Amino acid sequence: MDKINFFPDNLNVQNQKIILRLDFNVPLRNNIIIDDTRITSCLPFIKKLIEKKAKIIIISHLGRPKGIKDPAFSLIPIYKYLKKKLQTNVYFFMGNIDDEIKDKFSYLKEGEVILIENIRFFKEETENDENFSKKLASLGDIYINDAFSCSHRKQSSVHKITRFIKKSFAGPLFKKEIDAINLVIKNKKEPVTCIIGGSKISTKIDVITSLIQKINNLVIVGAMANNFLIYKNFSVGKSLIEKNTKDIIKKIYDEAKKNNCEIMIPEDCIVGTSFDGDGKNKNLDKIEKNEIILDIGFNTLKKIKQIIDQSNTVLWNGPAGYFENENFLKGTMSIAESISKNTLENSLISILGGGDTLAAVNMSKNKLSFSHLSTAGGAFLEYLEGKDLPGLSVLK
């Protein structure tokens, strides 16, 4: 496999115009940033480029405005945030990306930053339009993609832009993501345990079957586990399930048997009659028709903790229950605390991925420690699956 072209620390970028593709797709409420994790993780590299006297042009997206200039998806709150955090002139560009765009950016001085308004306001971005990519590329001398989370998409600012610029690199955050996932799939320390949660199994079938060939234990939690319980002939009441998963699950068990991978599914659970009520612990054979499985049970949790204690590498994607209600947060939080404890005390390699997983972990009142937290979602899963991501292949 060709090596990825990572940005070299010793490259002289003084007076060079750098196009920096970042992921500022952060949650907003009433134009206020609710979680700034994605921005704060980008700041050290931006500051480093400022120190090196580069001219920095930042491209990012927010949400899915579908090519329409929708104020609800404006990057203005992010621009204000950067202005406060960076000790330099920060500009905001809201104009069109046309043939005159290069001239519009000519005022940028060394060590200054310009943020372009939401790149998805232009439909050409998601269409991976060649002409649009060429105009974007004309802005800079060097292109750096530090948005691994967007690199599974064939879009102008992560894909075709690289055709029209001489030097293209992956940034330090991009490298961190790749290195972390490679600890699970390439340079692994066994036993490797994967805890997979969330609701849909159909969207994760490929990643699960791919992972089974590389890991020792697969722990299924969350609403996804309900399908496995049905497969084992248990009743799950009114719990969330997916139709027609029997063949998918059979394939997972067959693959696991072939690769000596142990599969663990819940043996008890916390059930309630509604999502906003409270719950009680029940064995699987005691679930009634009007009940919903909303978290993993005490015995299941005990078993998962034992597996974590015996592992050297843990990958976790997807919460264990309906964590939005704190009555059903215990399973997720206990897994997080167990992984954190082993990371600190036993040098466990721990990699957490997915927005819901991170949102749940952030609800902890204690400071938790993990080897790597990935905000990359879809790209994280596709790379785990072994796919060559479009935004990554152009950086080789």
Side-chain angles (χ1 to χ4, degrees), residues 149-333:
S149 50
C150 309
S151 298
H152 60 316
R153 308 216 176 270
K154 270 192 177 177
Q155 296 185 346
S156 286
S157 67
V158 291
H159 188 247
K160 271 196 187 155
I161 187 172
T162 58
R163 287 190 194 174
F164 307 105
I165 199 157
K166 280 179 189 162
K167 293 176 183 170
S168 294
F169 302 101
L173 291 176
F174 201 110
K175 187 177 190 304
K176 215 176 155 193
E177 289 278 0
I178 296 286
D179 290 348
I181 300 171
N182 283 346
L183 287 172
V184 176
I185 57 176
K186 288 179 184 167
N187 322 313
K188 57 190 177 184
K189 270 173 73 182
E190 294 190 18
V192 181
T193 295
C194 279
I195 303 167
I196 304 280
S199 55
K200 285 199 166 183
I201 187 173
S202 55
T203 57
K204 291 181 183 172
I205 172 66
D206 292 334
V207 75
I208 290 171
T209 47
S210 171
L211 276 172
I212 281 169
Q213 297 159 30
K214 307 172 181 92
I215 64 175
N216 308 94
N217 305 297
L218 176 66
V219 178
I220 305 283
V221 293
M224 188 187 287
N226 300 339
N227 303 295
F228 285 79
L229 298 178
I230 287 172
Y231 183 81
K232 297 281 186 183
N233 296 318
F234 287 106
S235 165
V236 297
K238 292 195 299 179
S239 305
L240 188 66
I241 54 163
E242 239 185 307
K243 287 177 182 163
N244 309 318
T245 56
K246 199 176 173 184
D247 291 344
I248 292 175
I249 293 169
K250 184 183 184 308
K251 188 183 172 188
I252 289 169
Y253 275 112
D254 290 348
E255 202 65 38
K257 197 175 177 186
K258 208 162 64 186
N259 291 280
N260 295 320
C261 174
E262 290 290 324
I263 293 183
M264 189 211 146
I265 62 171
E267 56 182 55
D268 62 342
C269 49
I270 308 288
V271 298
T273 50
S274 75
F275 288 92
D276 49 14
D278 52 12
K280 51 188 169 192
N281 203 94
K282 279 197 168 185
N283 286 338
L284 298 177
D285 56 356
K286 299 281 189 278
I287 298 167
E288 290 169 31
K289 281 180 182 173
N290 68 330
E291 290 177 327
I292 311 163
I293 298 172
L294 293 162
D295 199 1
I296 49 175
F298 307 142
N299 293 334
T300 303
L301 196 48
K302 202 172 156 187
K303 252 185 147 175
I304 292 173
K305 284 181 178 177
Q306 284 169 353
I307 293 170
I308 293 167
D309 289 346
Q310 291 156 12
S311 302
N312 282 319
T313 307
V314 170
L315 168 78
W316 179 23
N317 184 285
Y322 184 68
F323 70 92
E324 291 88 342
N325 177 344
E326 61 179 24
N327 292 322
F328 309 115
L329 176 63
K330 188 176 176 10
T332 301
M333 205 49 81

Side-chain angles (χ1 to χ4, degrees), residues 344-356:
L344 287 169
E345 294 173 10
N346 306 321
S347 304
L348 173 76
I349 295 165
S350 53
I351 296 141
L352 275 62
D356 282 350

